[in-house]
Amino acid sequence: MNLTCRHLPGATLIAVAGQVDTTTSAQLEEYIDQHRARLDEHLIIDMSELSFLDSSGLAVLLAAAMLARAHGVGVHVTGLQAMPARLLEITGAERAVTIYDHVEQAIAAVADLDLVNPSEPA
């Protein structure tokens, strides 16, 4: 698994490549926790290079979505390949996140959300 992070206005963008399973899901969770700039910023997760996601990785994604929702923001998932997309679909987890085809769409949507609902400074 390979992880990269980029901070954007109002959001943290994390790209996940490879596979997320029981051997790597804790690493993903720790990476998200360490690299999120603020809890009241949106989290964009680019999964365009993620070929496999198991239930432990799904649990990390759902925990991030619950935390984001508690702080008035969301988790935005982009570039889902067939297998991870199917897992989100059959588990109903797709309702906990917002899904976009491309990372640029998520970035634009977050920018629009921030214009409508600007967050208070921490």
Side-chain angles (χ1 to χ4, degrees):
M1 178 179 66
N2 186 37
L3 302 165
T4 58
C5 178
R6 195 170 82 186
H7 294 283
L8 307 166
T12 298
L13 169 61
I14 295 177
V16 185
Q19 300 184 0
V20 177
D21 56 26
T22 57
T23 63
T24 58
S25 60
Q27 179 185 353
L28 174 61
E29 182 175 32
E30 184 177 317
Y31 191 88
I32 291 170
D33 290 345
Q34 290 179 352
H35 288 84
R36 263 183 117 165
R38 294 175 24 179
L39 293 176
D40 64 347
E41 288 188 336
H42 293 273
L43 180 60
I44 301 171
I45 302 178
D46 180 5
M47 295 188 171
S48 59
E49 299 294 322
L50 181 71
S51 60
F52 180 81
L53 179 72
D54 75 357
S55 61
S56 65
L58 181 62
V60 171
L61 183 64
L62 291 175
M66 287 176 45
L67 182 61
R69 184 169 289 148
H71 288 87
V73 293
V75 171
H76 309 267
V77 176
T78 71
L80 281 170
Q81 292 188 30
M83 186 273 150
R86 179 74 177 134
L87 180 62
L88 267 66
E89 178 186 342
I90 63 175
T91 61
E94 63 186 3
R95 293 187 300 266
V97 299
T98 307
I99 298 174
Y100 300 91
D101 290 333
H102 305 285
V103 71
E104 295 81 10
Q105 293 169 319
I107 292 169
V110 165
D112 288 345
L113 288 171
D114 284 345
L115 290 175
V116 173
N117 300 311
S119 62
E120 295 294 319

